Amino acid sequence: LVLLISLAVNPLISWIRSLSGGRKLPAGLVMGGFVAILVLTGWAFFGPMKESVTNLTEHLPEYWNRLQKPLIRMEQQAALSEEKLQAAVRTERARIERAEGDEEAAQQITAESTQPKAPEDDESLRSGMSRMFREALGSFTAVAFNGTQILLVMVTVFFGVTFTLMNPRPIIGAMFSLVPEHHHDQALIIMRRISKVVPSWALATLAGMVAVGLLVFVFMWLILGFMDALILGLIAGVMAAVPFLGPILSAVPALLLALGKGGMTPLWVLLAYVAIQALEGNVIQPFIMARGMRLHPVAVIFSMLLCVGAFGVLGVLVAAPLVAIVNILHGELFRKRFLPTVTDADLDDMAREALREN
């Protein structure tokens, strides 16, 4: 991941280097600009978040009472329905016993209905809700632990990219030192092609971040208003680069703002983020990656699943560039040796014939 991000940012570093003369200043400017964006986003969001948390704290008892009243009503209705059902069952059992001539058993069943009920061990709806909240808290703790691990990895990647951008030649030279000398020309061609395709991946990722940010801005503008939507869109766009944790972190502040407003707003915000996340994972990201890197969307989706299984949630970040790198290695190492005269047009004709297309 450090090498991919470094290769993606390297064209920008090279352009600034042509103006300044060295690599350390451009690397510091680029990484400092990234940190500045994160800090400004957090600073801009601090005011609305503080107001929302204050409103939520003031209205929390009211929210809890609203939640308890329908639960108590449902619990009482369920208890009454159960009593009616048990009474009907006892009446039916007594009738059957009388029909069979066992009057003593019928009277005993009838007497059961007049005895006081013993306290039941079955949990009520409210206790079930409390248990559900405890389970959700446990799941949230696990998510927070995994998120902390991802953040630590991202911090390590940040410093790794910074140091690599300052002086990448020893690392690239070490990679060439692993290749036999008579293959250096071919290895150089492969590295040049990779250095060309990785920036396309970075631009496609940036385009996906912009698309997600705009979607969040439009949805939240309709629900929360312009200023809150602008900040939430910026947060969602920045967090879209972080798999798994990014959508969760971007949804949390939106839900807090919605809870501060009350009513049905939290539900609409939650539904909006679920819809945006579904669009991002299944439409926006595969389509933009496929168009930006000239890959088939199915190849991008399959690579995401494969990389998540192999590397965990961070594998989503490297899925698309790995497909492009595998494609380059196939073209340079396999196709030139075993398919030297076969062109893309020949492969397309064979595919058309296999599908019986005219």
Side-chain angles (χ1 to χ4, degrees), residues 44-61 63 224 228 231-232 251-263 265-266 269:
F45 189 69
F46 178 76
M49 175 63 75
K50 182 179 179 181
E51 180 181 356
S52 178
V53 171
T54 303
N55 293 334
L56 178 60
T57 304
E58 294 176 352
H59 293 89
L60 193 59
Y63 290 152
L224 298 176
D228 292 340
I231 298 171
L232 292 175
V252 168
L255 288 174
L256 288 176
L257 285 175
L259 288 171
K261 293 183 179 296
T265 306
V269 169

Side-chain angles (χ1 to χ4, degrees), residues 45-316:
F45 189 69
F46 178 76
M49 175 63 75
K50 182 179 179 181
E51 180 181 356
S52 178
V53 171
T54 303
N55 293 334
L56 178 60
T57 304
E58 294 176 352
H59 293 89
L60 193 59
E62 181 183 352
Y63 290 152
W64 179 246
N65 290 333
R66 289 181 182 177
L67 180 64
Q68 276 195 317
K69 286 179 181 179
L71 290 178
I72 294 173
R73 190 181 303 113
M74 291 172 60
E75 184 180 348
Q76 292 175 348
Q77 290 177 351
L80 291 175
S81 299
E82 184 178 359
E83 290 178 0
K84 291 180 180 178
L85 182 62
Q86 289 178 353
V89 171
R90 284 193 295 266
T91 302
E92 182 66 19
R93 287 174 55 198
R95 186 187 64 80
I96 294 175
E97 295 294 341
R98 287 194 179 92
E100 294 178 354
D102 194 346
E103 184 65 28
E104 182 179 354
Q107 291 178 356
Q108 184 178 0
I109 294 174
T110 305
E112 289 178 358
S113 61
T114 61
Q115 295 178 358
K117 294 179 61 178
E120 297 180 349
D121 295 330
D122 296 336
E123 62 178 6
S124 64
L125 289 174
R126 283 174 292 169
S127 61
M129 184 68 72
S130 300
R131 181 165 58 87
M132 185 182 68
F133 283 152
R134 288 195 296 269
E135 293 176 355
L137 182 61
S139 301
F140 179 79
T141 303
V143 170
F145 178 75
N146 293 330
T148 303
Q149 289 183 322
I150 294 177
L151 287 178
L152 290 176
V153 172
M154 297 306 294
V155 170
T156 305
V157 169
F158 172 81
F159 285 104
V161 170
T162 302
F163 291 126
T164 302
L165 289 176
M166 289 181 178
N167 188 17
R169 291 181 183 176
I171 299 177
I172 304 300
M175 295 174 65
F176 281 116
S177 68
L178 300 176
V179 180
E181 185 177 356
H182 58 279
H183 290 307
H184 276 186
D185 292 339
Q186 193 173 28
L188 182 59
I189 293 174
I190 292 174
M191 281 301 301
R192 284 177 176 173
R193 291 187 61 183
I194 292 175
S195 299
K196 185 178 180 180
V197 76
V198 170
S200 300
W201 160 68
L203 291 175
T205 301
L206 183 61
M209 293 167 63
V210 172
V212 171
L214 288 176
L215 280 175
V216 171
F217 169 72
V218 172
F219 275 91
M220 295 303 105
W221 189 4
L222 298 175
I223 299 174
L224 298 176
F226 179 81
M227 288 305 299
D228 292 340
L230 188 62
I231 298 171
L232 292 175
L234 182 60
I235 292 176
V238 173
M239 291 298 177
V242 182
F244 177 70
L245 184 64
I248 296 176
L249 289 179
S250 62
V252 168
L255 288 174
L256 288 176
L257 285 175
L259 288 171
K261 293 183 179 296
M264 295 292 291
T265 306
L267 177 61
W268 294 121
V269 169
L270 181 61
L271 292 177
Y273 268 85
V274 170
I276 292 171
Q277 177 60 21
L279 286 173
E280 178 190 2
N282 298 286
V283 179
I284 296 175
Q285 193 170 12
F287 180 76
I288 291 180
M289 286 293 179
R291 291 291 299 272
M293 302 181 68
R294 297 180 181 179
L295 299 173
H296 198 284
V298 174
V300 177
I301 294 175
F302 178 75
S303 67
M304 289 179 181
L305 297 175
L306 188 62
C307 288
V308 167
F311 307 119
V313 293
L314 285 175
V316 176

